[in-house]
Amino acid sequence: MSGFARDPKYYGDRLVYEPLESKWSRYHATHCGCGQDWLTAHAVPAGFTVIPRGRSGYYGLVGPGLTEGVDETALTANALWEAVTGKPGTQTWHEQVHVTCRTPEAEAARKAANDAHYGRIREESAKRKAAAQTERATEKQLKYLANLAEKAGKERFDAEFVKAVKGTDIKPRAPRERTATASKRLTKAAARKLIAALLES
């Protein structure tokens, strides 16, 4: 997300504007359409300087009317808009400065928050995966399997069924057992595996 920022680790004590590349490329294509790169063809010639944010590919811009010679309580991106689109900026709202603290304590707190957030995501994913291994196949899966079994034939169905239930406690289809009955013994995960195999050819 584009915005004004202060980040001592990457920018020293400078106020910068961090542009969202996709957003500004879209603005340029819509309002200018010259086919050139908006940054090198318009922003830099207009006096803006690019400051890379490490090796991440992200960067900040500094320059007149954007971060230099401006009232920091009334920041807008109008100067950059005019340089990139060739039209006067019409932004009437003011933007806040996002300040990133890089002290060891702040970095540790950010890491802990990220670890906790992604840890919850991994835990929820593991729970869903575990549930799929035990929950019975859905009616939708069973109906789809019935159609696929009819098209594939019992011989192919049996071969793929054996592969799908390998490593589980689900037994292969018995000689006189209907394919629909055998399918009802499948878990969600096994049903997905069997459906994928029967769709391959």
Side-chain angles (χ1 to χ4, degrees), residues 15-52:
L15 170 68
V16 305
Y17 180 78
E18 294 183 319
L20 181 63
E21 180 66 30
S22 60
K23 183 168 80 171
W24 281 92
S25 293
R26 186 174 68 253
Y27 290 161
H28 176 242
T30 302
H31 298 281
C32 176
C34 69
Q36 300 181 69
D37 175 65
W38 71 271
L39 190 60
T40 56
H42 299 292
V44 173
F48 296 104
T49 301
V50 178
I51 305 177

Side-chain angles (χ1 to χ4, degrees), residues 47-64:
F48 296 104
T49 301
V50 178
I51 305 177
R53 196 174 83 183
R55 298 180 180 179
S56 64
Y58 293 98
Y59 56 91
L61 293 177
V62 295

Side-chain angles (χ1 to χ4, degrees), residues 102-156:
R102 298 286 181 178
T103 63
E105 294 79 10
E107 293 283 77
R110 260 194 300 276
K111 184 179 184 304
N114 284 339
D115 289 346
H117 173 71
Y118 290 108
R120 286 193 297 273
I121 291 175
R122 287 192 293 271
E123 184 179 344
E124 289 169 4
S125 177
K127 285 180 180 177
R128 286 194 297 270
K129 188 174 180 181
Q133 299 295 331
T134 56
E135 291 180 8
R136 290 300 174 192
T138 65
E139 287 301 318
K140 187 176 180 180
Q141 285 178 314
L142 294 175
K143 185 176 180 180
Y144 196 27
L145 273 172
N147 291 330
L148 290 175
E150 187 176 344
K151 293 177 183 177
K154 289 186 177 180
E155 187 175 331
R156 176 141 188 271

Side-chain angles (χ1 to χ4, degrees), residues 83-201:
V84 172
T85 68
K87 299 175 177 61
T90 58
Q91 183 178 342
T92 56
W93 65 94
H94 298 152
E95 299 189 26
Q96 299 296 312
V97 178
H98 177 71
V99 180
T100 303
C101 179
R102 298 286 181 178
T103 63
E105 294 79 10
E107 293 283 77
R110 260 194 300 276
K111 184 179 184 304
N114 284 339
D115 289 346
H117 173 71
Y118 290 108
R120 286 193 297 273
I121 291 175
R122 287 192 293 271
E123 184 179 344
E124 289 169 4
S125 177
K127 285 180 180 177
R128 286 194 297 270
K129 188 174 180 181
Q133 299 295 331
T134 56
E135 291 180 8
R136 290 300 174 192
T138 65
E139 287 301 318
K140 187 176 180 180
Q141 285 178 314
L142 294 175
K143 185 176 180 180
Y144 196 27
L145 273 172
N147 291 330
L148 290 175
E150 187 176 344
K151 293 177 183 177
K154 289 186 177 180
E155 187 175 331
R156 176 141 188 271
F157 178 88
D158 286 348
E160 298 299 347
F161 190 100
V162 170
K163 295 176 187 176
V165 301
K166 186 176 180 180
T168 73
D169 58 359
I170 303 170
K171 299 185 185 309
R173 187 179 74 88
R176 287 181 293 279
E177 186 179 23
R178 297 172 60 229
T179 56
T181 303
S183 295
K184 289 180 181 179
R185 296 190 281 106
L186 294 171
T187 60
K188 284 183 179 180
R192 276 201 301 269
K193 191 172 180 181
L194 179 55
I195 288 170
L198 291 174
L199 284 172
E200 283 183 359
S201 60

